[in-house]
Amino acid sequence: GELLIEEVEHADRMRRIQEDSRFHHWGLCQHLLAESERAVASSALLSRDLSELGLAVAMRLDPGHYHLSWTEDLRAKSWCIHADACRRLNLVEEALAALGEAQKHAREGTSSAELAARIEKTEMSLSRRTDEKRWNGGGRHPMGAPLPIRVPDDPSSHSRVS
């Protein structure tokens, strides 16, 4: 038979993933994360819900089956995607916490350049969001004023991985 998450409510889907080991699968995790990234253009809320489901799967993967460092990389990726989805919903504290989790899991992973670039991109998008909030909310400058550049852009440090 097919393996489907038939529940309508997000909380029910989360519970199903948490309780049913048939959903603790690498491919399902990758699929949910890809769908989360695709959904971000149409619905930040759907993107966040899908990232939560993907994260729930990633956290339940058996490192003995998939290899610990690969599992940690996928968990770090999941946290990054969740951080971005939260950022788009203006859930800054939740996004920052997710970024911290991504960094923690990445330290136990393979140290891949692709993951490092993803984490750096997430850090930059979050720092831009929090800087914008402080900059525009300070009353010293008009709303929409350009943000100060804190770190010079060095093209030689850009990752070639997309």
Side-chain angles (χ1 to χ4, degrees):
E2 292 184 37
L3 185 62
L4 299 172
I5 303 174
E6 298 173 347
E7 288 73 14
V8 175
E9 297 297 320
H10 178 66
D12 295 333
R13 291 180 184 148
M14 285 293 291
R15 190 171 20 267
R16 180 85 184 270
I17 282 177
Q18 291 165 348
E19 295 172 356
D20 190 339
S21 64
R22 294 177 299 161
F23 290 102
H24 306 168
H25 189 273
W26 188 280
L28 177 60
C29 181
Q30 290 280 40
H31 176 72
L32 290 166
L33 296 176
E35 288 300 312
S36 173
E37 289 182 305
R38 247 189 302 283
V40 81
S42 59
S43 171
L45 185 59
L46 176 60
S47 177
R48 198 262 329 256
D49 287 354
L50 289 166
S51 74
E52 284 181 348
L53 293 171
L55 187 54
V57 173
M59 297 307 291
R60 286 164 179 77
L61 292 175
D62 179 4
H65 181 75
Y66 291 108
H67 196 281
L68 179 61
S69 60
W70 298 344
T71 305
E72 290 299 313
D73 280 359
L74 187 57
R75 289 173 178 167
K77 176 183 175 182
S78 300
W79 280 111
C80 278
I81 292 170
H82 184 64
D84 187 55
C86 290
R87 177 187 63 83
R88 292 172 186 274
L89 288 170
N90 293 318
L91 301 172
V92 176
E93 295 303 318
E94 190 173 335
L96 289 171
L99 174 60
E101 288 295 318
Q103 293 165 330
K104 181 180 86 175
H105 287 283
R107 284 191 290 274
E108 303 299 320
T110 64
S111 303
S112 77
E114 179 181 3
L115 182 56
R118 180 181 289 275
I119 289 173
E120 182 180 0
K121 179 180 175 185
T122 304
E123 288 173 335
M124 295 297 288
S125 66
L126 286 172
S127 67
R128 190 169 46 245
R129 175 62 57 101
T130 56
D131 286 348
E132 183 177 286
K133 186 176 177 182
R134 272 188 247 117
W135 183 259
N136 286 334
R140 297 175 306 176
H141 302 280
M143 292 296 279
L147 300 177
I149 297 174
R150 294 176 183 241
V151 179
D153 188 26
D154 178 7
S156 67
S157 70
H158 293 184
S159 172
R160 305 275 188 273
V161 179
S162 57

